[in-house]
């Protein structure tokens, strides 16, 4: 916060929230946790206590709803579950007192409501859950299984962003640990093949990076998906950001680019683009790019030597 008085105002609001916690409903709890997740919470007096109180308030509301075997419209929805989990994912699962129990409770309830989840909510939830070690969260496996099951049923509604987010999340886990996950990935790449022209640079790089972590020979359609992504990456390479260049080169370096002229062309385009914006690369992106190009004979990839000198 840069403008005068903002920090003091936030602290006053947090203090007021702590004293009026009983007046918060599912929506306002979700919104407050979302806001707190964007702050350096340790720097705001009372913020961690407020987050803990919000979670306790929500837990009581959910327990009351479950005991009544009904959920009032203003108490909890699939959207509020997604929003809250996304906020919580900005912190470690046990960073705030009671947060792990709260996350498990949200997932347990979410497992009973996945029929209400749309493709965006599925992708955002999987992406949030992928930030934690799901093996440490009792309800995670069952919730993920239900989200995947729902995703398989509504695959035709997934757009490029949803596909990219899901693949990015799933690649962080052993897919054989989850029921239907392998089928879900196959359906996602098949869907992606049909709408590949709509992928933006970030979605292309995230999807390439995800697929590169699996043996694509075991996932029918993934080779074709890679080719389609590379094809459209070649057309939009001059709009790739440093992080997209870094992720894409990291993925491409795991395959034999001599097997495809399109892969070699994209690599050349990306290093040319990278040379022009090398001053914007951070240390991690520089390291990833150098690690990627070190796996090729860069004398055969036009512009690679210049890119190395630039970064």
């Amino acid at each position: 916060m840069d403008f005068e008085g903002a920090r003091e105002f936030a602290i006053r609001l947090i203090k007021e929230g702590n004293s009026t916690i009983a007046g918060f409903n599912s929506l306002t709890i979700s919104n407050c946790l979302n806001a707190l997740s964007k702050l350096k919470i340790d720097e705001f007096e009372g913020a961690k206590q407020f987050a803990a109180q919000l979670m306790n308030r929500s837990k009581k509301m959910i327990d009351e709803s479950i005991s009544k075997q009904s959920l009032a419209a203003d108490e909890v929805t699939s959207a509020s579950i997604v929003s809250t989990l996304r906020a919580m994912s900005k912190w470690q699962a046990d960073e705030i007192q009671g947060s792990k129990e709260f996350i498990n409770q949200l997932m347990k309830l979410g497992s009973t409501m996945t029929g209400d989840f749309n493709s965006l909510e599925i992708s955002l939830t999987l992406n949030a859950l992928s930030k934690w070690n799901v093996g440490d969260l009792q309800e995670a496996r069952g919730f993920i299984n239900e989200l995947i099951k729902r995703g398989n049923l509504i695959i035709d509604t997934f757009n490029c962003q949803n596909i990219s987010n899901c693949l990015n999340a799933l690649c962080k886990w052993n897919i054989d640990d989850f029921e239907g996950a392998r089928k879900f990935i196959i359906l996602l790449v098949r869907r992606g093949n049909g709408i590949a022209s709509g992928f933006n640079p970030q979605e292309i790089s995230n999807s390439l990076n995800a697929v590169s972590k699996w043996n694509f020979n075991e996932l029918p359609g993934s080779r074709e998906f890679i080719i389609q992504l590379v094809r459209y990456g070649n057309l939009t390479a001059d709009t790739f950001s440093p992080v997209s260049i870094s992720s894409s080169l990291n993925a491409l370096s795991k395959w034999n680019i001599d097997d495809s002229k399109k892969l070699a062309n994209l690599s050349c385009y990306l290093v040319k683009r990278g040379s022009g914006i090398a001053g914007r690369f951070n240390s991690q992106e520089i390291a990833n790019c150098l690690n990627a190009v070190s796996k090729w004979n860069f004398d055969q990839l036009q512009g690679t030597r210049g890119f190395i000198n630039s970064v």
Side-chain angles (χ1 to χ4, degrees), residues 26 61-62 65 71-78 80-81 106 109 113:
S26 177
M61 291 168 58
I62 293 173
S65 297
L71 294 171
D74 64 342
E75 289 180 343
V76 66
T77 63
S78 59
S80 65
I81 290 174
L106 284 172
L109 179 61
M113 298 174 60

Side-chain angles (χ1 to χ4, degrees), residues 49-68:
Q49 178 190 356
F50 186 35
Q53 287 217 74
L54 289 168
M55 287 185 283
N56 285 333
R57 167 68 177 157
S58 183
K59 283 191 286 187
K60 289 178 182 177
M61 291 168 58
I62 293 173
D63 285 341
E64 290 171 2
S65 297
I66 292 173
S67 67
K68 291 185 295 186

Side-chain angles (χ1 to χ4, degrees), residues 77-275:
T77 63
S78 59
S80 65
I81 290 174
V82 175
S83 178
T84 305
L85 286 173
R86 290 185 72 200
M88 298 298 297
S89 72
K90 308 288 178 58
W91 301 308
Q92 296 296 319
D94 55 358
E95 185 171 343
I96 299 171
Q97 185 178 1
S99 57
K100 183 176 287 190
E101 293 81 4
F102 180 49
I103 292 166
N104 275 316
Q105 187 189 45
L106 284 172
M107 292 191 294
K108 183 177 181 179
L109 179 61
S111 294
T112 69
M113 298 174 60
T114 50
D116 296 332
F117 279 62
N118 60 35
S119 55
L120 176 61
E121 291 168 341
I122 291 171
S123 68
L124 293 177
T125 304
L126 289 175
N127 189 56
L129 297 179
S130 72
K131 308 285 179 63
W132 296 310
N133 180 354
V134 294
D136 291 340
L137 296 167
Q138 181 180 349
E139 301 294 336
R141 187 183 299 274
F143 187 33
I144 293 169
N145 285 342
E146 290 298 322
L147 289 169
I148 289 171
K149 180 179 178 181
R150 172 65 175 165
N152 281 328
L153 294 175
I154 61 170
I155 195 68
D156 290 340
T157 66
F158 279 70
N159 63 23
C160 302
Q161 181 185 26
N162 304 153
I163 292 169
S164 171
N165 282 341
C166 286
L167 291 174
N168 189 53
L170 292 166
C171 76
K172 297 174 183 176
W173 302 316
N174 181 347
I175 59 174
D176 292 323
D177 287 345
F178 301 97
E179 298 172 15
R182 187 175 293 272
K183 175 186 175 183
F184 188 35
I185 293 168
I186 292 170
L187 290 177
L188 286 169
V189 298
R190 183 183 299 168
R191 170 70 176 163
N193 274 330
I195 59 173
S197 62
F199 279 70
N200 64 33
Q202 183 179 357
E203 292 158 356
I204 290 172
S205 64
N206 285 347
S207 298
L208 286 174
N209 187 57
V211 177
S212 74
K213 297 180 180 179
W214 298 307
N215 181 347
F216 56 75
N217 291 319
E218 297 178 358
L219 298 170
S222 57
R223 184 186 294 271
E224 293 78 9
F225 183 43
I226 292 166
I227 292 171
Q228 285 286 80
L229 291 174
V230 168
R231 176 187 175 191
Y232 289 105
N234 282 330
L235 298 176
T236 60
D238 59 349
T239 66
F240 275 59
S241 67
V243 67
S244 296
I245 292 171
S246 169
S247 293
S248 296
L249 288 176
N250 186 56
L252 293 169
S253 72
K254 298 175 183 177
W255 300 309
N256 183 357
I257 62 173
D258 293 331
D259 288 346
S260 171
K261 184 177 179 180
K262 288 186 176 68
L263 264 67
N265 284 344
L266 179 56
S267 300
C268 290
Y269 290 146
L270 289 174
V271 297
K272 181 179 178 180
R273 166 69 173 164
S275 295

